[in-house]
Amino acid sequence: MIPLRLPLLAVLVSLALCQYYDYDYQPASMLGPSGPNCNQECECPINFPSAMYCDSRKLKFVPVVPTGIKYLYLHNNQIEEIKAGVFDNVTDGLRWLVLDKNHLTNAKIAKGTIDKLTALEKLFFSYNNITEPVIPPSKSLDELKMMHNKLTKFPSGLLSDKENLTSINLQHNELTSDAIAGAFKGPKKLMSLDVSNNKLKKLPAGVPSSLEILYADYNDIDSIGAGYLNKLPKLQYLRVSHNKLVDSGIPAGVFNVSSLVELDLSFNKLQSIPEINEQLEQFYLQANEISKDAPRLRYLRLDGNEIKPPIPRDIIVCFRLLTSIVI
C-alpha cells in the first residue's frame, strides 16, 4: 500500500474549488529526510524510497531518474524539455509519471524517453502544450490524463494494445470528431471517457462496450446516432450538456435503455422531453426550449418553461439551478 494520503483540509478545499487530482500526494517533507540515491534537484524520502519528488521547484527540464524509482512527481514546474536518457534507469520500473502543469510541447520530448517506459501504469500530462498524444509502450497503463492541452488529433491505433486502460480524460483540448475516429477501440476494459470541452459534432464512435461513464459536455453535438447507447450496455452516466442538441437529432427511444443512471441534456435546444427508461435516477434538462405538453407528472416548472414530462412518478428526477417540481 502506497503511503500517500491527502490531508482532509486539502480535500475539502479541492472540492470547494471543483478541482481534483487522482494521484494522492503528500509532500516529501512529511515522509522524512531524503535518501542518498536521489537527484540533487529532488527528494527521495527514506521512508518512501521508491518515490522521487521534484514538484514545484521551478525546474526547466526533467532530471535524471535513479534506479529504484517507481513514482515520479514533476508537476507545477516550468519544464519545457524532456531530454534523451533521463529515464534510462527506470524504463521497466517506473509506474507513475506526473507531468501536470508544465510547458511541454511535442517537439521538446526526445525519443527514448516516454516511449521507453514499458511498465507505466499512470500518465498524467495535463496543463501542457502538446498537440498530439504521447503514449508509452506499457501494456500496464490503466489511467491516461491529458486535459488542458492543445490536442488536435488522436490517431487510431495508439491504444490498440492497452488492454488494462480503464480511464481516459481528454477534456479541454481542440479535438474534432474526425480527429478521434477509432481512437478508443483498443482498450477493452475502458470504463471512463471524458471528451468534454472539445470541438466534437457527435459522440465518439467505436468506444468499447465496457464503457460506464461518458462525458461530452461543452462540444458542438447536435444529434445522437440511433442505437448508439444499445452498443454500450454498461453505460450508466452520460453527460451531453452545453451542446446543440435539437429534437430532430434525438431518435425515438435512443435514451430508453435500462443501464443509464444519470442523463444530462441541460443547456441544449430541445423543445420536448426525450423518452427515457424507468430505471433512470438523475435527469437534467434545465436551460432548453421545452414548451410542449406531455402526459404523467402533473406539473413541472423548469427555468421558466412549463411542461408535463413523460416521466414516471416514482423516478428520482434531479434538476439544478432554478428548477422546481410541483406534485
Side-chain angles (χ1 to χ4, degrees):
M1 186 71 177
I2 303 168
L4 298 173
R5 297 190 181 92
L6 276 170
L8 178 59
L9 179 60
V11 174
L12 294 176
V13 171
S14 173
L15 291 174
L17 296 175
C18 296
Q19 298 175 345
Y20 61 91
Y21 297 96
D22 282 355
Y23 47 92
D24 289 335
Y25 176 73
Q26 189 172 14
S29 59
M30 299 180 67
L31 295 170
S34 184
N37 184 31
C38 191
N39 190 290
Q40 62 180 1
E41 302 281 353
C42 309
E43 292 182 67
C44 307
I46 57 175
N47 292 332
F48 189 18
S50 59
M52 188 162 87
Y53 294 85
C54 309
D55 56 296
S56 305
R57 294 161 196 261
K58 299 182 179 180
L59 298 180
K60 297 284 188 179
F61 56 88
V62 175
V64 175
V65 183
T67 302
I69 297 300
K70 296 180 180 179
Y71 309 96
L72 179 58
Y73 299 91
L74 289 159
H75 52 290
N76 295 326
N77 279 294
Q78 300 168 15
I79 297 172
E80 299 177 351
E81 184 177 9
I82 304 179
K83 297 180 180 180
V86 295
F87 299 132
D88 281 359
N89 297 320
V90 292
T91 54
D92 60 352
L94 194 64
R95 299 290 189 271
W96 292 15
L97 177 56
V98 181
L99 284 162
D100 293 346
K101 296 185 178 180
N102 281 287
H103 306 305
L104 285 163
T105 60
N106 293 88
K108 291 295 186 73
I109 301 173
K111 292 183 178 180
T113 55
I114 293 177
D115 56 325
K116 274 190 174 182
L117 301 177
T118 60
L120 205 63
E121 297 171 358
K122 298 184 186 299
L123 176 58
F124 297 98
F125 215 114
S126 301
Y127 296 91
N128 280 281
N129 298 308
I130 58 173
T131 56
E132 55 185 291
V134 181
I135 307 297
S138 173
K139 294 183 179 181
S140 301
L141 191 69
D142 63 40
E143 189 168 9
L144 177 65
K145 280 184 176 291
M146 293 186 173
M147 306 179 294
H148 292 269
N149 275 284
K150 298 178 180 179
L151 296 178
T152 58
K153 59 182 178 180
F154 203 114
S156 176
L158 284 182
L159 305 177
S160 59
D161 62 343
K162 302 297 182 282
E163 298 180 356
N164 293 300
L165 190 58
T166 60
S167 178
I168 302 175
N169 196 324
L170 300 174
Q171 62 171 291
H172 287 277
N173 278 288
E174 301 174 16
L175 294 166
T176 63
S177 295
D178 291 339
I180 61 172
F184 311 116
K185 290 182 179 180
K188 303 302 182 183
K189 298 180 182 178
L190 189 64
M191 297 172 60
S192 176
L193 175 62
D194 192 336
V195 288
S196 302
N197 292 89
N198 277 283
K199 298 179 179 180
L200 306 184
K201 292 189 175 181
K202 57 184 178 181
L203 291 175
V207 293
S209 59
S210 57
L211 202 67
E212 298 180 10
I213 300 171
L214 176 56
Y215 294 160
D217 305 307
Y218 292 95
N219 278 287
D220 297 319
I221 299 169
D222 58 9
S223 63
I224 307 293
Y228 184 88
L229 272 67
N230 291 332
K231 299 176 183 178
L232 302 174
K234 297 182 179 181
L235 190 66
Q236 299 183 48
Y237 302 92
L238 176 60
R239 296 181 182 175
V240 201
S241 72
H242 294 87
N243 276 281
K244 299 178 180 179
L245 289 172
V246 295
D247 287 8
S248 60
I250 307 294
V254 69
F255 297 123
N256 189 4
V257 293
S258 59
S259 63
L260 275 186
V261 173
E262 176 183 291
L263 175 61
D264 190 349
L265 302 177
S266 60
F267 294 89
N268 279 284
K269 298 180 179 181
L270 299 176
Q271 294 183 345
S272 61
I273 300 214
E275 178 186 354
I276 58 174
N277 193 276
E278 294 185 0
Q279 301 298 318
L280 192 66
E281 296 181 4
Q282 298 177 7
F283 190 22
Y284 303 100
L285 273 173
Q286 72 270 21
N288 275 279
E289 301 171 4
I290 296 171
S291 60
K292 294 181 180 180
D293 288 339
R296 300 195 187 177
L297 274 182
R298 294 181 189 172
Y299 185 79
L300 179 81
R301 175 169 250 158
L302 180 61
D303 288 4
N305 296 301
E306 297 180 1
I307 58 175
K308 296 177 182 178
I311 306 171
R313 289 179 60 91
D314 58 350
I315 197 169
I316 303 172
V317 185
C318 299
F319 295 94
R320 295 171 178 164
L321 301 178
L322 302 178
T323 61
S324 61
I325 300 177
V326 180
I327 301 298

